[in-house]
Amino acid sequence: MAEERRRDATNVVVRNKAGQVLLFRRDNKPNIPYPDFYDALGGVVDDGETAQEGAIREALEEGGVVLDPAKLNLVVVYQWPNQTEHNYAYPEPIEVDTEAWVPTEGQGIEWHTPEEIADFSGFGARIMPRTRQGILHVLFGN
C-alpha cells in the first residue's frame, strides 16, 4: 500500500475595520470533507510554492483579496498526522464587498465577528474544526 503524501496547507485570517473575519463557505457537495461548512481563506500549498505564497494565492482565489506578502504574519503552525498547517494573520483591515464577489469555488464569502466564531454551540460549530482552532489562536492567542 502506498504511503499517503504529507501536504502543507495554509490559512489566513483577514479582518475588516469592524474587526470581523472574512470566511469562505465551502461547496455543499457530499464527496468533500465538511460540505457546507465555513473555512478561513486558504487551502493546500501547491508544489514548488511556499506556505506564504499559498496563503497569498488562496486569499485571491477564494476571496478576491490582494495581500502584501511583506505584511503577512505567521502566527502558528500545527502538525497534523497528514498535514502541516500554517496559520497567518494580515495586520491591516481589508474591505471586500461580499455581495459583489463572484466565487470561482465554494458558495461565497461572508464577514463574521470573533464572538460568532468562538460560539461553539452556534455559528462556530459550522466552521471546520481545525480551521476554527487556527482562527481562534490568531484572534485570541492560546
Side-chain angles (χ1 to χ4, degrees):
M1 177 184 244
E3 186 176 318
E4 184 177 332
R5 181 177 172 201
R6 187 171 178 79
R7 298 293 307 243
D8 278 1
T10 186
N11 292 312
V12 59
V13 174
V14 175
R15 299 175 83 176
N16 62 16
K17 289 179 183 173
Q20 297 170 309
V21 177
L22 187 61
L23 295 179
F24 169 77
R25 189 166 183 184
R26 296 170 58 79
D27 284 312
N28 192 13
K29 297 177 181 175
N31 61 330
I32 66 169
Y34 299 98
D36 203 31
F37 269 60
Y38 289 84
D39 205 349
L41 302 178
V44 173
V45 176
D46 288 344
D47 289 336
E49 186 176 60
T50 66
Q52 183 187 46
E53 291 166 342
I56 298 292
R57 175 184 51 76
E58 290 284 355
L60 181 60
E61 289 176 3
E62 293 182 348
V65 177
V66 177
L67 302 177
D68 179 350
K71 296 178 181 174
L72 200 60
N73 298 317
L74 180 62
V75 176
V76 64
V77 177
Y78 292 116
Q79 297 292 335
W80 303 109
N82 63 341
Q83 190 173 74
T84 300
E85 183 179 285
H86 303 81
N87 291 269
Y88 291 91
Y90 199 71
E92 295 182 359
I94 299 290
E95 298 303 322
V96 175
D97 183 351
T98 58
E99 298 296 320
W101 173 245
V102 178
T104 56
E105 57 182 285
Q107 298 180 65
I109 52 176
E110 299 175 12
W111 292 107
H112 289 277
T113 66
E115 293 77 21
E116 289 172 319
I117 293 166
D119 181 5
F120 295 113
S121 63
F123 176 78
R126 301 212 37 235
I127 301 171
M128 290 180 58
R130 286 183 182 175
T131 301
R132 183 179 59 227
Q133 180 178 343
I135 293 171
L136 291 174
H137 189 98
V138 168
L139 295 175
F140 303 114
N142 298 345

